[in-house]
Amino acid sequence: MQSLDVISVNLWQIIISLANLLILFLTVKKFLFKPVTNILNQREKEIEDRYEKAQEAVGEADESKKKWEDKLRGANDEAEAILSSATENAKYRGDKIIEEARERAESIVRQAENEAELEYRKANDKIKQDIVDVSGSLAEKMLGREINTDDHRALIDSFIEKIGDDNDGDK
């Protein structure tokens, strides 16, 4: 008769493996997710700063337009024909300045949003790749053999999607 020791379950080995997995997860979370979150927060602050500057430029353009209109209202009746022409010219300039400021502000905001999205995607892809590498090595060591590429990819993708879903729920 064969001994049943071959198929026995070692509870201590399972507990130690789970503890190692927990330590690995906490380490990855501390050293990968927090820095990426900090980078994203930094980019968001830069975008907000650019948006505020754009708003200031629009405000300055509005103030400039109001100043021109105030000066024109106080003009004499004798120069009404000249002032009429100057009013039209000032209004055109003011509208042009406002339009340019708005276009510039929109351009800055679009560019900042695109950069933030690109940085977010790069960081997300980097995290996924690092998780794939670390978890593949860990799984290979834990199982004592090499996993084929398709099985490895499927395990990692499901793990990453689960982590992504958990993080999306936190927002």
Side-chain angles (χ1 to χ4, degrees):
M1 269 187 124
Q2 288 183 338
S3 174
L4 292 178
D5 290 338
V6 173
I7 59 171
S8 67
V9 176
N10 186 345
L11 183 62
W12 286 108
Q13 191 172 12
I14 291 172
I15 292 172
I16 290 171
S17 294
L18 289 174
N20 284 337
L21 182 61
L22 179 65
I23 290 169
L24 178 64
F25 175 75
L26 294 174
T27 303
V28 167
K29 184 176 178 183
K30 178 174 176 74
F31 293 108
L32 292 178
F33 288 117
K34 286 184 181 180
V36 169
T37 303
N38 290 340
I39 289 170
L40 291 176
N41 289 338
Q42 221 174 15
R43 296 297 294 165
E44 184 176 347
K45 184 180 182 319
E46 289 176 11
I47 291 169
E48 288 174 3
D49 290 344
R50 288 181 181 181
Y51 185 73
E52 287 175 9
K53 287 179 183 177
Q55 290 294 348
E56 289 175 10
V58 169
E60 289 174 8
D62 285 338
E63 286 178 23
S64 176
K65 180 181 177 184
K66 287 178 184 176
K67 286 179 184 178
W68 277 101
E69 289 174 354
D70 288 343
K71 288 180 182 179
L72 292 174
R73 275 189 228 122
N76 288 332
D77 290 336
E78 295 174 10
E80 191 172 310
I82 296 172
L83 289 178
S84 172
S85 174
T87 301
E88 290 175 16
N89 201 4
K91 189 166 179 95
Y92 173 74
R93 282 183 174 172
D95 290 342
K96 189 174 180 181
I97 289 171
I98 290 172
E99 185 61 34
E100 288 174 1
R102 284 190 179 134
E103 288 175 3
R104 185 170 177 240
E106 289 173 2
S107 171
I108 290 171
V109 169
R110 269 193 312 271
Q111 180 183 5
E113 287 173 348
N114 290 339
E115 289 175 5
E117 180 66 25
L118 182 63
E119 289 294 326
Y120 177 78
R121 286 183 182 169
K122 283 181 182 177
N124 202 5
D125 289 343
K126 176 70 173 133
I127 288 172
K128 285 181 181 179
Q129 186 59 44
D130 289 345
I131 289 173
V132 167
D133 294 340
V134 169
S135 63
S137 297
L138 177 66
E140 188 174 311
K141 287 181 181 180
M142 286 178 59
L143 296 176
R145 63 179 178 87
E146 187 173 333
I147 301 174
N148 72 26
T149 305
D150 293 333
D151 291 342
H152 176 47
R153 180 63 58 193
L155 283 172
I156 300 309
D157 287 344
S158 67
F159 177 71
I160 290 173
E161 284 183 24
K162 183 174 188 319
I163 288 176
D165 290 343
D166 289 347
N167 286 341
D168 289 344
D170 293 343
K171 288 183 181 176

